Structure formats: structure tokens, C-alpha cells
Amino acid sequence: MSEYKSYSKFKDAEEACLGAIPEHWENRVLKYIFSENKEKNTGGIENHILSLSYGKVISKKGNENFGLIPESFDTYQIINPDYLVFRFTDLQNDHKSLRVGYSDKKGIITSAYLGLKKRKEDIHSKYFYYLFHSLDTKKYFYGFGGGVRLSINWNTLSKIKYPVPALSEQIAITNFLDKKTGEVERLISDKEETIKLLKEKAYKLSVNGFDEPKHVNEWEDNFPNDWKTLKAKWIFNEIKIKNKPKEELLAVTQNRGVLPKSMCSESFVSPDEKGLLSQKLVIKESFVISLRSFQGGIEFSYYQGIVSPAYTVFVIKEEFDNEKLRIFYKYFLKSKPFIELLNTIISGIRDGQNISFTDFSTLNIPIPDIKTQEAVFEIDKVITAQEIKAKKEITLLKEYQESLISEAVTGKIDVRDKVQ
């Protein structure tokens, strides 16, 4: 951080993990800075549902509420702009989630979370969001009481002293970090957009080959004339292998495909010993129909492991199977036209019910020409290389961002002249 100036004099912060802070900064007990939010949504007056996801307070869409909808939202707390939100549930099991968020919108969120609102006008809430976010990334909240707690309540947190710069410095630090984190997020977004465009090209090839989209009513008429079409049951076989408790637990996601649960930042409930025996085996380069396939298509797995018995697992029949065709279907089964087709067989099925292999088996599926298979295969190699490169670059960008936040909120760097 040599490009930034340093303050001249320091003193120890009350919280040892913060190290030294500028000498002129105060240390204040949190209950004198913030108060616990106790405003309930009595009478259901507010219906904008919020969620804390990956450290951000976001609007929760209706279709994300499946399985989580309470009978009434009256017990939810009303969150206003400039509030902080903490999720201190499941600390004993989930050591990966980000647990602090800042709200820039009004809405309601579960009262299982802790909402805080500032008590005084010399407090800039978003500075404290950055401070707690930095502590959060260092897994600070897991160390209360000399070990992992099942939960942390306001009574515990409120008695701790945290650094409080002057209001002008709080604002300067916040503006600086807003600018810098925005720059990092744009760089990350650009890298992700490059990969997204390559995937879109692969999706298009998987449906139309080298032809332009036809947009005809009959599904199979959309494919190039020299492609064959067969019912899915003649191309794929369902597999139902169970009783493999020692295999790795897998998660089936829409945006990252199938991956080990150990690689996921979110928390998952793990099955007990009996439940492990009922899990289905997923072999490498097989396909998985999930509860959300009607939204995001059918997932392709590069991993072997076990998943919930609610999922459907299938492979390409031996007479058709080859590496290039597997990669072709990896994209075809997640293409927008295929997802639209998939939805035609689940009309009347309630949201959340899985699509069976029997349902899927009736669909007409193309077998493309070799040229298209090879083209999709080559694009997939480029995408894979780009994803590996982007993952490394994004990791470095995020490390830089977290370092910058940590240095700024504790006064290790003086950023007052860095914001125009």
C-alpha cells in the first residue's frame, strides 16, 4: 500500500485483532453508536422481502421463496436504508458465509437476523459496514467466548468497543472504498462477461449449428436439416445407483453447475448416516435434473459424488457416447430454447417438484453433425481456459480489495485526499 500516505501517530484499538488505529480516533462501545432494530412488520404493512446473500442485502424474488414462506410476515423486522444487518445463525456449521450486510433499501427481513440503526448524527453507517465486513472476512465472529457459539446476540456485541473516526473521515473512507470496490467489481464483471459471451455462442451452436435461428413452431424444425432427432429415452439412460456413503457430497447449482459442497461458500444441511445410504451416485460427465431445472436447465457434472435422491441422474447411451457429444449436450441442455421446451412438460406441476426422467424422455433431442460437435468442443476448451485464468485473477482482485478495506477502516492508510 506504498501509494497511500500513513497517519503519523497510532494507538492500540480496543479489539486486538484490529491492531493499531490513528491516535485521534475514538474507541466507543457499540451500544452508544447503534441500537438494535425492533420495528416489527405488524399487520403486514411492508411486503418488500429482503435477504442477506453473499454479504449484500438484496430484494428477494418470489420464486426464491419456495420452501421458506412463513404463514405471516408480521414477525419480520422492517429494515430501512442505512441499516446494518447481521446473520449470526448456524455459526457452528457454516464457516464460509458472509454475515454482514448494508441496506440501501426499505423492506422486511427475518427477525432471526440482527438489524442495527445508528443512534447519532456523527455516525456514518456505511463506514461501520466496511469495518464489520473486514472483521467478517477474517472470521472474527466465530471467536466470541473462546470458541464457536451457536449464536451471537446484541447484548454480547453491544458491549464491545470499536474505532470511531471523525464523521468527515468516516465519509472519506466510505467514499474511497465505494470507488475502489466499484472498480474491482467492474473488472470482475468484465471478466465474467467475456466468459458469458463465449457460452452464449456455444448455446447458439448447440441449438442452431451454423444456421441462423429459424423461430418455427415445431421444436425439431429449429435444428439444421442434416441433424437427426430422437426421443431422449433413445439417447440417454437414467442411473439410480445408491448406497455409496463414502462418496463426496455434491451440490447442484444453476450458476456453477455440480460441484463438491466443500467448495461452496453457502451452508448446506448434510444427511445423517441413514440419509447417506439413500443418496444417488453422480458419475463424472453425467447429467443431473435438479429442482430448479425448469429455470436453469439440466446440469453437467465434472465430479463424482452423491446427491439428494430427489435429483434425476442420467448418462448418454453407450452406442452414442463420446466426449464431444457429452460437451455438446452440456450446453444444449442449458440453452434457453431447451429450457422453454422443458417447461412445456411441467405445466400443472407445482413449483419445486422435480422433473422425472419419464417426463424428460418424451422430448425430441437432436444428434448434431460432427462439425457442430467439434465446434462446441473447441469453444468449451476456450471457455475452460478463460475460466481458470479468470478465477486466478478474480481471487487476486478480491484479495486486493479486502486488504484495501482492512487498511482503510483501521487507519493504516490515510485516504482523505484520495476522493475527489
Side-chain angles (χ1 to χ4, degrees):
M1 300 289 175
S2 58
E3 63 200 278
Y4 300 103
K5 294 190 303 183
S6 174
Y7 288 92
S8 57
K9 294 183 179 180
F10 290 85
K11 64 183 180 184
D12 290 337
E14 291 287 332
E15 280 295 275
C17 64
L18 294 173
I21 59 174
E23 188 178 56
H24 63 284
W25 288 16
E26 295 182 56
N27 283 298
R28 287 196 216 169
V29 178
L30 191 62
K31 66 181 178 181
Y32 300 126
I33 307 172
F34 287 90
S35 60
E36 182 180 8
N37 177 48
K38 295 185 177 181
E39 185 180 4
K40 294 290 187 285
N41 190 37
T42 307
I45 58 174
E46 180 64 51
N47 58 16
H48 180 199
I49 306 170
L50 302 176
S51 175
L52 182 60
S53 177
Y54 298 103
K56 296 183 184 296
V57 177
I58 61 172
S59 298
K60 197 170 188 178
K61 299 175 184 177
N63 62 16
E64 293 172 347
N65 294 331
F66 174 73
L68 301 173
I69 301 176
E71 290 184 7
S72 168
F73 289 102
D74 288 17
T75 61
Y76 273 42
Q77 59 179 306
I78 294 178
I79 295 293
N80 288 302
D82 209 35
Y83 279 30
L84 304 185
V85 177
F86 296 76
R87 183 176 74 83
F88 290 144
T89 58
D90 199 31
L91 283 167
Q92 73 276 25
N93 295 319
D94 176 11
H95 288 198
K96 295 183 179 180
S97 294
L98 291 175
R99 299 184 170 276
V100 184
Y102 171 83
S103 183
D104 59 2
K105 52 184 76 70
K106 183 174 183 177
I108 53 173
I109 202 164
T110 174
S111 290
Y113 295 174
L114 172 65
L116 298 186
K117 54 184 178 179
K118 68 180 184 182
R119 294 175 63 99
K120 297 184 178 182
E121 290 306 311
D122 68 343
I123 295 303
H124 192 61
S125 296
K126 201 168 185 186
Y127 160 77
F128 285 91
Y129 158 70
Y130 279 122
L131 174 66
F132 283 115
H133 169 81
S134 180
L135 290 169
D136 191 15
T137 60
K138 295 178 173 66
K139 305 307 173 188
Y140 165 78
F141 298 112
Y142 297 96
F144 278 71
V148 175
R149 286 175 175 266
L150 298 182
S151 64
I152 302 169
N153 58 30
W154 170 239
N155 185 53
T156 300
L157 197 66
S158 69
K159 296 174 181 177
I160 301 170
K161 286 185 176 182
Y162 294 101
V164 183
L167 178 60
S168 60
E169 286 180 278
Q170 294 176 47
I171 294 171
I173 291 168
T174 299
N175 290 343
F176 169 78
L177 291 176
D178 281 350
K179 180 172 182 263
K180 289 297 182 181
T181 56
E183 290 171 356
V184 168
E185 286 167 8
R186 281 190 293 275
L187 286 170
I188 291 173
S189 179
D190 288 346
K191 296 179 188 303
E192 292 172 338
E193 183 65 20
T194 299
I195 293 168
K196 180 183 175 183
L197 291 173
L198 284 167
K199 287 184 177 180
E200 290 297 333
K201 186 176 180 180
Y203 292 139
K204 180 180 179 297
L205 272 169
S206 73
V207 176
N208 305 117
F210 295 94
D211 295 351
E212 287 301 313
K214 298 176 183 178
H215 304 297
V216 294
N217 291 330
E218 292 298 324
W219 161 248
E220 54 266 34
D221 289 341
N222 283 286
F223 310 134
N225 296 332
D226 57 345
W227 288 15
K228 296 178 183 178
T229 57
L230 292 174
K231 295 290 186 187
K233 63 184 176 182
W234 302 120
I235 303 173
F236 303 100
N237 275 330
E238 183 178 10
I239 56 174
K240 299 180 179 180
I241 303 169
K242 296 183 180 180
N243 197 19
K244 297 287 184 179
K246 293 183 180 180
E247 293 284 349
E248 187 164 24
L249 288 166
L250 302 179
V252 183
T253 70
Q254 282 185 29
N255 60 341
R256 290 168 294 162
V258 182
L259 70 165
K261 287 185 177 180
S262 59
M263 292 173 59
C264 299
S265 59
E266 58 268 59
S267 174
F268 293 96
V269 177
S270 295
D272 57 20
E273 187 175 344
K274 183 179 178 180
L276 284 172
L277 296 176
S278 69
Q279 300 279 293
K280 282 185 182 175
L281 180 69
V282 175
I283 63 175
K284 289 182 180 180
E285 300 197 350
S286 60
F287 300 88
V288 182
I289 301 176
S290 75
L291 296 173
R292 291 295 173 187
S293 285
F294 72 95
Q295 291 177 324
I298 295 172
E299 305 301 335
F300 180 73
S301 182
Y302 282 106
Y303 298 93
Q304 178 162 312
I306 51 177
V307 296
S308 164
Y311 296 145
T312 298
V313 183
F314 62 90
V315 295
I316 301 175
K317 286 177 180 283
E318 188 175 349
E319 59 263 38
F320 294 111
D321 190 30
N322 66 71
E323 186 178 18
K324 291 177 181 176
L325 194 57
R326 276 177 246 144
I327 297 301
F328 171 86
Y329 287 129
K330 168 185 171 181
Y331 291 98
F332 174 81
L333 296 175
K334 283 188 71 69
S335 67
K336 185 177 179 181
F338 173 76
I339 293 168
E340 291 172 354
L341 175 70
L342 202 58
N343 276 272
T344 66
I345 64 171
I346 60 170
S347 58
I349 296 178
R350 70 173 177 83
D351 181 14
Q353 181 171 319
N354 205 359
I355 302 161
S356 70
F357 186 76
T358 301
D359 297 326
F360 168 69
S361 70
T362 63
L363 298 176
N364 289 320
I365 303 295
I367 299 178
D369 62 279
I370 297 299
K371 181 181 176 183
T372 302
Q373 291 183 45
E374 290 177 345
V376 174
F377 187 74
E378 290 303 316
I379 291 176
D380 181 70
K381 288 199 292 188
V382 174
I383 291 169
T384 300
Q386 287 284 342
E387 285 179 327
I388 292 170
K389 180 183 177 185
K391 184 178 180 180
K392 291 178 181 177
E393 292 174 342
I394 287 171
T395 297
L396 290 173
L397 283 168
K398 287 184 175 179
E399 287 175 355
Y400 168 74
Q401 176 176 279
E402 295 306 332
S403 176
L404 208 57
I405 292 172
S406 176
E407 299 283 86
V409 296
T410 57
K412 304 297 189 300
I413 55 175
D414 183 352
V415 300
R416 288 174 292 181
D417 62 346
K418 294 295 181 180
V419 181
Q420 301 301 319

